[in-house]
Amino acid sequence: MSKTRSIFEEVGTEAPVDKPLVQPGAIDRAARRGARGAVRIWLTMLFVLIAAMLVLGGVARLTGNTLVLPGWNPVQGAIPPLDPGDWLATMERYRVFGEPGPGLVAFQRIYWWEWARGMLAPLAGGVWLLGLAGFGLAGRMPKGWTLRLLGLGGLIVALGGTGWGMGQAPAPFDGPSYRLLVETGLGFALLGLLAWFIFKLRRTEAELIQARRARDGAVFGMATGLMHLAFLQILLGGLLGGLDAGRGFTDWPTMAGAIVPPDVLSLQPVWRNFAENPGLVQFLHRGAGYLVLILGLVAWLRARRSVHRSVRRAFGWVGGLVLLQAGLGIATVMFAAQWHMALTHQLGAVLLWAMILRARFLAQYPIQQSIRG
């Protein structure tokens, strides 16, 4: 039986303190359990490796340093030829594959280009695997991120497989334009996912939930449309590079003196023209570029009315970059796709893609600012 207390007795000072039923700040505590900053650095390293793989492949194609060996894979191909006999045997395999036979010196130069490009994919795969295993075993993976980061490995393997399986695709999909279409699509999709994850990991889950309440829906919708249109333009750029079609028509704004180039539907069946006809592919690439430019500038003008300074600045970068990228594209065409100009244009595509995603992210999760800001 409990002791009778006086009505004048002070209570509560010596009572045991029980654990409260509700623990505030659960989201913040869950976020602190993961090493968000370290994971972000790891994903940034992967972003750089994938971008380097795409750019190095573009340089190899523009300079003619491309090579396809039957049955090449990152395990057997990791060790290059070590003596003159190995080099001659490797070059003979290349000739048997049906390619013209360059001299040994030229073959070695081309081989080293392709070897460096081909080994970037397994290097990226190794970095991904080590990071995933390290954060998982240390218990430092942010809550809810394991499955997301597991999917990155599948995309990296698929991206590497586009090069390893070259020459084994069924006809008529064994041409370089189809390979570059798949490689470019997978590569930029992977870059997009990496960029989005990097942006999200800069803030805690609690901060993201709070920021989402202030999202700019109209600007976010425009950024989503711009993202899809830019991805289509990137795919057309991959087809253009695979066909080496950037040197075919060097006049602008016309093509061979006309709005629509000649013989755009000359191949049969008709659908092949959209992937294999250099004139039609460049025409579509130009048209999609104009649409990206227009929508990018419209999105920038609309974002200038946003109440969020971060959104205004992000779309300001997008507006400036679409203008720069359009100018680089026109100059690349008019100077017959000289490799240094085409390389700059490709780097610009990577940067613009990342900035579009950043602007879309900030429209979805605006950075909170003071009333005076």
Side-chain angles (χ1 to χ4, degrees), residues 278-296:
L280 181 57
V281 171
Q282 189 183 135
F283 175 76
L284 294 174
H285 186 62
R286 290 189 185 195
Y290 299 145
L291 293 177
V292 170
L293 174 62
I294 293 170
L295 184 55

Side-chain angles (χ1 to χ4, degrees), residues 313-355:
R313 288 180 175 178
F315 278 88
W317 277 100
V318 171
L321 283 173
V322 293
L323 282 171
L324 177 61
Q325 186 69 350
L328 283 172
I330 293 170
T332 301
V333 164
M334 297 183 70
F335 286 90
Q338 296 182 25
W339 76 268
H340 58 282
M341 298 187 71
L343 174 61
T344 305
H345 188 51
Q346 188 172 18
L347 288 171
V350 173
L351 181 59
L352 177 59
W353 179 238
M355 289 297 102

